[in-house]
């Protein structure tokens, strides 16, 4: 018990040094949460100040942030203040279970309490240092990882909920919005990913995963709508190469749509700051 | 402790009445596990005998099987032998957390032990009856739900691992294969979903999520390759409408590819039966 209290004190101390804590979640898997989290980190880091952005990959059994940010293969070193995060592009600090696994083939066969304890350590024992933004990438579901993050990080600034347009996805993602509200975390808004596809050959617009689902959730649940990002094969290609698509393809409609969403997120954080003053 | 032992005895008794137990997993979310599980159930149920197929939706926080099989809104009734599954198309028996939730907006905010206990009850207290096939649809990850299913169901016939072609997906799905092996469950093979897209307007082939990742995993990890299913907007549309695409669009390349995979699964189960005799 004493250990847990000490741990929570350390978490509180670290989190106080971080100006904005943003959570990216969905409830549903495979909707592009990690791609959104990674590109949001890059967009914020592009401001160019030092010690700007950290990313915590809270997906213990399926970590993919290091691959998408191109920092795979790094290991976490430990020093007197704690474990040092890996350093990604633009100085982004990254912590992920992936750094602790010897090979991609190795599964993390852990029940909830162990996963929660890993998240506790990522928050309490990592020397995050002073940061302007910490972005937490949650795994699918509204279970252990999501609960631990929401309960351990006091003063989360906001949650971005990612969905794809389909009804099946909406059904699950609605739960994430109620989850956020039940845990009293501010909702930044809903982002519709993989929204429509434009054939690169003929220009035809095809709704592979339907369209408009994100807006429907926003309307039904009275949640802000952040925007939609079209499907683009280059997004997947860039993630596989470990180069964020907003850097690799800044002029693509997807990157432009994403940057508009980032502006809304920044506005949300700014507004929140104002209202506290 | 006694309760758990009694529960496990009941699980053993129910499972003995089911000829083949098949698990659909991935490790990764959003690769189409539930669509594969639902359509596999339909393909097997098309044989037309009674008491053929059951589907256990083991995704506690993000259940989508009832929606895809068009049985949403049903409730589970209880009688002297236990809880009766909902009855889906072609007499398929379905059990899912979704039937226990009053609204789609309601999240299941449960840590691991509660999720595992729900899975225990789905196996011990549901009157599955005599079945030829039970298909279990696992959520993403290699945590509580996956572990509980693998440990509670003795004599799993085989595991189908679903991936999309991208490297990011492969990285996570590899873990599911090692997971299956570590838990001594036979691997039926790897299925590559969302593999290539043919523009319905101009016929151009576009690899939205790359291509060949499933085969690469199979080769690297010496696992059988079951085949690839192309992306088709009608698959998402059909899932949203609650009509399995192999019934709604039997002549589509996706349905044909899927039926070839079902044949391989049946062959695997048949071969297994032969070798036991």
């Amino acid at each position: 018990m004493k250990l847990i209290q000490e741990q929570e004190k350390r978490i509180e101390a670290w989190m106080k040094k971080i100006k904005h804590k943003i959570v990216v979640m969905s409830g549903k898997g495979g909707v592009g949460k990690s791609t959104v989290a990674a590109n949001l980190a890059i967009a914020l880091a592009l401001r160019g100040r030092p010690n700007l952005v950290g990313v915590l990959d809270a997906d213990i059994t399926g970590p993919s942030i290091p691959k998408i940010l191109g920092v795979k293969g790094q290991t976490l070193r430990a020093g007197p203040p704690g474990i040092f995060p890996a350093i990604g592009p633009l100085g982004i600090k990254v912590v992920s279970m992936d750094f602790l696994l010897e090979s991609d083939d190795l599964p993390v066969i852990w029940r909830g309490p162990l996963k929660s304890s890993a998240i506790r350590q990522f928050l309490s024992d990592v020397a995050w240092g002073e940061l302007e933004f910490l972005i937490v990438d949650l795994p699918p579901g509204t279970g252990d990882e999501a609960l631990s993050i929401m309960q351990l990080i006091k003063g989360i600034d906001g949650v971005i909920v990612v969905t794809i347009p389909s009804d099946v996805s909406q059904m699950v993602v609605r739960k994430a919005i109620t989850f956020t509200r039940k845990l009293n975390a501010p909702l930044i808004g809903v982002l519709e990913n993989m929204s429509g596809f434009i054939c690169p050959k003929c220009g035809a617009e095809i709704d592979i995963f339907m369209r408009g689902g994100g807006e429907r959730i926003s309307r039904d649940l009275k949640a802000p709508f952040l925007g939609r990002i079209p499907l683009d094969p280059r997004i997947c290609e860039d993630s596989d190469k470990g180069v964020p698509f907003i850097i690799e393809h800044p002029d693509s409609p997807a990157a432009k749509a994403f940057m508009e969403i980032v502006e809304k997120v920044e506005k949300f954080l700014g507004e929140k700051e104002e209202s506290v003053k």
Side-chain angles (χ1 to χ4, degrees), chain A:
Chain A
M1 222 51 221
K2 211 180 149 215
L3 181 77
I4 286 197
Q5 280 166 0
E6 276 171 16
Q7 220 177 18
E8 282 174 11
K9 267 199 188 152
R10 282 207 303 280
I11 294 177
E12 216 186 309
W14 283 124
M15 290 304 120
K16 268 194 189 151
K17 297 189 180 187
I18 300 171
K19 203 167 160 197
H20 296 298
K21 278 85 77 175
I22 303 163
V23 173
V24 179
M25 81 175 290
S26 163
K28 180 100 181 65
V31 295
K33 277 179 300 296
S34 302
T35 308
V36 165
N39 281 279
L40 176 61
I42 293 285
L44 294 169
L46 281 172
R47 298 172 171 197
R49 293 194 293 275
N51 298 322
L52 217 50
V53 185
V55 181
L56 169 57
D57 184 353
D59 193 340
I60 305 297
T61 63
S64 57
I65 285 287
K67 170 86 178 169
I68 299 172
L69 280 177
V71 285
K72 260 193 81 70
Q74 289 202 31
T75 45
L76 301 178
R77 291 165 308 109
I83 299 161
F84 296 113
I87 302 295
L90 306 171
I92 295 171
K93 294 179 177 176
V94 187
V95 168
S96 167
M97 196 66 205
D98 182 73
F99 297 133
L100 306 173
L101 299 172
E102 265 175 54
S103 125
D104 287 347
D105 303 349
L106 278 184
V108 178
I109 310 180
W110 285 358
R111 291 196 175 267
L114 265 181
K115 289 191 285 184
S116 297
S117 139
I119 286 178
R120 277 177 170 275
Q121 286 187 47
F122 285 164
L123 290 170
S124 65
D125 298 350
V126 168
W128 287 102
E130 308 266 348
L131 283 178
E132 286 193 40
F133 303 96
L134 177 67
I135 295 157
V136 181
D137 180 31
L138 279 182
T142 49
D144 296 275
E145 298 91 330
L147 259 172
S148 292
I149 287 294
M150 294 299 200
Q151 291 171 343
L152 289 171
I153 305 182
K154 311 288 179 211
I156 287 174
D157 288 74
V159 179
I160 296 170
V161 172
V162 183
T163 189
I164 62 169
S166 77
D167 286 355
V168 170
S169 174
Q170 277 179 64
M171 212 179 64
V172 178
V173 173
R174 283 167 174 269
K175 299 185 201 306
I177 294 176
T178 315
F179 171 87
T180 300
R181 288 181 171 156
K182 284 207 182 211
L183 287 145
N184 296 316
L187 185 67
I188 303 181
V190 177
L191 184 163
E192 181 173 304
N193 199 18
M194 307 191 195
S195 173
F197 175 72
I198 295 164
C199 174
K201 268 277 173 57
C202 72
E205 274 194 64
I206 308 133
D207 291 341
I208 298 185
F209 297 113
M210 323 296 285
R211 190 188 291 233
E215 262 174 312
R216 205 164 316 131
I217 297 181
S218 295
R219 210 171 38 235
D220 289 356
L221 298 182
K222 297 186 178 47
F225 182 63
L226 291 175
R228 63 174 73 82
I229 301 175
L231 252 184
D232 185 330
R234 292 172 294 183
I235 297 177
C236 178
E237 223 177 285
D238 290 345
S239 289
D240 277 3
K241 283 193 289 186
V243 278
F245 77 90
I246 58 160
I247 290 198
E248 197 73 0
H249 295 100
D251 296 324
S252 65
K256 284 181 181 163
F258 190 78
M259 292 312 286
E260 279 174 30
I261 290 169
V262 173
E263 260 175 50
K264 287 187 190 168
V265 172
E266 291 180 313
K267 207 179 146 205
F268 177 93
L269 297 174
E271 279 176 354
K272 209 171 155 275
E273 249 170 77
E274 304 265 305
S275 72
V276 168
K277 274 173 202 164

